[in-house]
Amino acid sequence: MYVTEEQNPRLPYLRDKTSKLTLSPGCYIMKNAQGKIIYIGKAKSLRKRVTSYFRKSADHLPKVARMVCCVNDYDFIVTDSEFEALVLECSLIKQYKPKYNILLKDDKGYSYIRVTNEDFPRISGELQKQDDGAEYIGPYTSSFAVRQAVDEANRVFRLPTCKKKFPQEFCKERPCLNFHIKQCMGVCRGKISKEEYRSVIDEAIDYIRGGSGHSIEKLTAQMEKAAEELDFELAARLRDRIRAIEKAAESQKIIDEHIKDCDCIAIVANSENACASVIKYRGGRLYDKADFFLEQTDEPTAMLTGFLMQYYSASEDIPAHILLADGIDEQESEDITRFLRDKTQHAVYISVPQKGSLLRLTTLAKANASEYLSIRMGRTGREAQALDELAKALGMEKVPKIIECYDISNLASSDMVAGMVVFEDGRPLKKHYRRFAIKNVDGQNDYASMQEVLKRRFENYFKGEDECFKTLPDLIFLDGGKGHVNTVTPVIRKMGIDVPVYGLVKDSRHRTRAVATGGGEISLTKARSAFNLVTAIQDEVHRYSVAFMTKRHKKASFASALTRVNGIGPKKAAKLMGEFKTTEKLKAATLEEIKRTAGVNEQTAQELKRIIDEM
């Protein structure tokens, strides 16, 4: 988007001021007419970076264009290095929370793991922290992670999950099924002391906090000591506990066993919003998950860099390994790594996995971010992923929100018609479907027919009378190959419509094969979600246009049958069909209604009624 001097009269002043800026690194602080800070950024060269906002004919993202329209003036702070600029930017954003910077908004509540304060404590998950004397572990941003950790700890350490009170209900009933299937240690039998039970609870808490690797090491040492002291019963219980931990870890471990602690981070964005997902692994197992809604979108690497700095500057839990679904600038990666190492005083590594189990982890983080964004935007994760894949395959800068698709249908060169279907956010928008009867093309000419349809569609856009034509699509598909694209594109470009146009190519079995450009084809075989979406769009437009063609053909055949009656010509037949619309309504019409509509006598009306009833 371009920003003109009519939109921001201060642009000449801002350009003149920027021409005198230093080439040194630093931070720039944009302000509106009221002097309020609306955006803070960093730059390796202040003059070059700030100039990019105010130069003539600068093509900005929508968010940046809105910000530039509001800039009245700016300040700047020169730093000695890019690293200092990065740290300063993060600090200033945290302090001022500017409107046009990416702000982390985690609208979830926090969850806790609760350990009751009683002789035989219980472990449970809670949504709120109460002042009840219990021990609370957390907070966690993911209630799922809390439930998983609690269920796992209770199962591995065979803790009671019933509602019995101990020691008040010792030996009052026989042990329940959980004891017999070795899901509970059977505290209700009264054979386990407070001290022994407390020891197990401590181990369970240690497992929750430290993960499976730490617990196995500790329990293995205890088992070996028990065996040396010939306490084989205790050693056997510890051995079973170790096996249970290993089994639990195996069932949900999707991470390289040599990496105990890591965060997997991905950001998914559409044209207006973005979401970041952080999946935490500690001790070889999923520990927590956090999703953040980012109200302002920016260039992808800038978003990811800003998120990393804001997220970790406010966190004390920084692992040794940070895995990213997408890459960032090498220099910025080094600066962020240095910042995190200085903050934590331990080694930190940032990487972008390209294969194997670590790639599956970042893919999982991206799927989580996509799902969270789709929920916020009213879409499913599958729809969001399909649109994202489609945009990347076609080389589009933003994900298409509105997609229109056109198909020409005819029966033996007669009844040439076209159908237009509309998909919004990956879903059919049926109230905006439209049908076209071809008016200015003689014979069977798909190219000329498609030209006519697209021309009429955008003539209606300029008129602004029909609600479905008022919005420009982000993407146009034509049911056909590169010939259709090359025929239609010049027509709509001449009308001033700058919307990407692609063809949908079918194979010999009439199934979607590829997307056609003006000079070749783009395969979607590696983008399965996008391929399925395009197939659904092509099938829908074909169904819609064929249904219209069939309806017109039946109507024309019916009208032709009416002209067999003496005194009924094409005009009177068309008048009857125009009045009653459908054959069903015409059959339901009374003799008097037929007589009055066609303007015929009693005898002709009776003959018409007979023909209509027989059809």
Side-chain angles (χ1 to χ4, degrees), residues 226-505:
E228 288 175 3
E229 296 175 353
L230 305 181
D231 190 348
F232 299 117
E233 186 178 347
L234 174 59
R237 288 202 303 269
L238 293 171
R239 178 204 61 202
D240 293 342
R241 202 166 294 156
I242 291 170
R243 288 178 179 173
I245 292 173
E246 289 174 339
K247 185 177 180 180
E250 283 298 320
S251 67
Q252 47 90 48
K253 185 191 295 182
I254 52 172
I255 185 171
D256 192 314
E257 62 181 4
H258 299 296
I259 299 180
K260 301 300 181 184
D261 299 336
C262 78
D263 284 353
C264 310
I265 299 175
I267 291 180
V268 172
N270 58 23
S271 59
E272 299 175 352
N273 298 287
C275 174
S277 185
V278 182
I279 299 181
K280 300 181 180 183
Y281 286 86
R282 300 293 184 268
R285 68 180 180 87
L286 187 141
Y287 175 77
D288 199 4
K289 180 175 79 75
D291 296 307
F292 297 89
F293 187 65
L294 313 178
E295 287 189 335
Q296 297 291 342
T297 58
D298 205 338
E299 194 271 329
T301 56
M303 272 200 300
L304 187 51
T305 301
F307 176 80
L308 290 172
M309 288 298 294
Q310 289 188 56
Y311 178 71
Y312 284 114
S313 64
S315 173
E316 297 300 324
D317 181 20
I318 302 175
H321 295 267
I322 298 173
L323 309 177
L324 305 180
D326 300 292
I328 58 176
D329 179 78
E330 185 176 348
Q331 181 61 52
E332 291 190 330
S333 178
E334 292 176 3
D335 289 341
I336 294 172
T337 300
R338 178 182 167 189
F339 169 76
L340 297 180
R341 287 176 177 174
D342 291 346
K343 179 179 171 66
T344 61
Q345 296 302 304
H346 67 65
V348 177
Y349 302 94
I350 298 176
S351 62
V352 184
Q354 299 298 320
K355 60 182 180 179
S357 58
L358 299 186
L359 176 60
R360 288 197 297 272
L361 283 182
T362 55
T363 302
L364 178 64
K366 199 154 195 172
N368 272 271
S370 177
E371 188 67 32
Y372 185 66
L373 179 63
S374 66
I375 290 171
R376 290 294 298 262
M377 304 306 295
R379 295 184 296 178
T380 67
R382 184 175 298 178
E383 290 164 347
Q385 182 180 358
L387 291 168
D388 185 53
E389 286 184 0
L390 181 61
K392 288 182 179 179
L394 301 182
M396 301 179 67
E397 292 184 359
K398 65 177 185 176
V399 174
K401 182 179 178 65
I402 302 292
I403 300 174
E404 291 182 0
C405 187
Y406 298 83
D407 184 27
I408 304 296
S409 185
N410 66 286
L411 183 65
S413 77
S414 65
D415 294 312
M416 294 285 288
V417 298
M420 176 188 96
V421 301
V422 183
F423 276 60
E424 181 179 33
D425 290 328
R427 298 178 183 177
L429 187 63
K430 293 191 175 183
K431 67 178 182 180
H432 282 186
Y433 285 15
R434 288 296 182 270
R435 293 163 170 167
F436 298 83
I438 306 303
K439 300 177 179 179
N440 304 316
V441 178
D442 295 326
Q444 186 175 351
N445 189 331
D446 281 8
Y447 291 161
S449 298
M450 194 70 83
Q451 282 182 322
E452 178 186 326
V453 170
L454 270 294
K455 185 177 180 182
R456 285 164 57 188
R457 184 265 181 263
F458 289 111
E459 284 174 348
N460 279 304
Y461 164 71
F462 290 115
K463 291 178 183 177
E465 296 173 355
D466 190 329
E467 188 65 31
C468 86
F469 293 135
K470 287 183 179 180
T471 302
L472 277 179
D474 300 304
L475 177 62
I476 293 173
F477 282 134
L478 311 175
D479 193 334
K482 64 180 182 180
H484 284 81
V485 177
N486 290 329
T487 301
V488 167
T489 302
V491 173
I492 66 171
R493 295 290 181 266
K494 190 175 180 180
M495 299 177 73
I497 302 299
D498 188 20
V499 176
V501 180
Y502 294 92
L504 299 180
V505 185

Side-chain angles (χ1 to χ4, degrees), residues 12 70 123 154-155 213 231 247 358 366-367 397 562 597 607:
C70 298
I123 298 177
N154 284 330
R155 185 176 66 255
D231 190 348
K247 185 177 180 180
L358 299 186
K366 199 154 195 172
E397 292 184 359
L562 297 180
T597 303
E607 182 64 15

